[in-house]
Amino acid sequence: THNFTVNQRVVSVSGTRLYDATTNAVASDLSTHANLVGSETLTLSGTGTIASKNVGSNKTVSVGSLSLGNGSNGGLGANYTLSGGTHRLTVNQRPLNATLARQYDGTTNAAGSDLSSFDALQGGESLTMTGTGTVASKDVANGRSVTVGSLALANGGSGGLASNYSLNTASLNITQRIINLSGTRLYD
């Protein structure tokens, strides 16, 4: 009599995602599955975790509720295990589009201090801006494209770290300047 034990094959998963202010490693972000047999594929569901929410390469993923399921070409989830695998997630900077706003001042300057909003901040975070860019015209208009120049993201409140984001584009809304008039006259 010969006994033969077939053990589950260890699978390692990896992937990338944009910064999202969480330590989640969701299955859809872990799209690379290593150590599968032949052309078999598997599905992955659930959520794992990483130690830090911040941008970084090859962060270790704790399995959490991640689980393997049947795939195609004969891939049976029961033949594989995540236990003992090396699971990695790279978190990349999230690109932001900045909107600046100011009154007409006769210049083509677009200062970081004119920041009005960002389009994709995560988790209630905030950032500020420093430096100065330029626009092609000094005149009143909305959505003028900014040449970034020395504009840069800076840390903000609520845990917002500039290193987790990148400045994709910036636009400037120039509004009409408010003029106050005053004068005097003799009683008439």
Side-chain angles (χ1 to χ4, degrees):
T1 303
H2 300 285
N3 292 329
F4 185 71
T5 303
V6 177
N7 293 319
Q8 290 176 308
R9 189 173 186 92
V10 176
V11 173
S12 295
V13 296
S14 62
T16 63
R17 71 163 166 80
L18 292 177
Y19 174 77
D20 68 2
T22 74
T23 57
N24 293 337
V26 298
S28 59
D29 296 329
L30 300 167
S31 57
T32 302
H33 305 164
N35 204 28
L36 298 177
V37 173
S39 62
E40 291 183 354
T41 64
L42 297 175
T43 60
L44 185 67
S45 61
T47 303
T49 58
I50 52 179
S52 165
K53 68 179 183 175
N54 296 320
V55 166
S57 297
N58 295 316
K59 294 172 166 262
T60 300
V61 175
S62 297
V63 173
S65 68
L66 290 171
S67 64
L68 296 169
N70 297 340
S72 61
N73 295 330
L76 296 177
N79 290 334
Y80 295 90
T81 183
L82 293 170
S83 295
T86 303
H87 314 299
R88 301 280 186 226
L89 179 66
T90 294
V91 179
N92 293 315
Q93 289 178 319
R94 180 168 291 275
L96 297 178
N97 299 309
T99 300
L100 311 175
R102 66 163 170 79
Q103 286 187 8
Y104 173 79
D105 68 2
T107 74
T108 59
N109 292 340
S113 58
D114 296 327
L115 177 66
S116 174
S117 65
F118 289 112
D119 71 336
L121 289 172
Q122 300 293 298
E125 294 177 348
S126 64
L127 294 177
T128 61
M129 287 184 75
T130 60
T132 303
T134 57
V135 292
S137 171
K138 63 182 174 46
D139 298 323
V140 170
N142 283 331
R144 291 206 180 273
S145 180
V146 174
T147 300
V148 173
S150 67
L151 283 175
L153 301 175
N155 294 346
S158 305
L161 297 178
S163 59
N164 288 325
Y165 298 92
S166 63
L167 182 59
N168 187 35
T169 65
S171 63
L172 175 65
N173 297 329
I174 302 174
T175 59
Q176 292 176 320
R177 185 165 199 85
I178 298 169
I179 296 176
N180 297 315
L181 301 175
S182 65
T184 61
R185 68 165 176 85
L186 293 173
Y187 172 75
D188 63 1

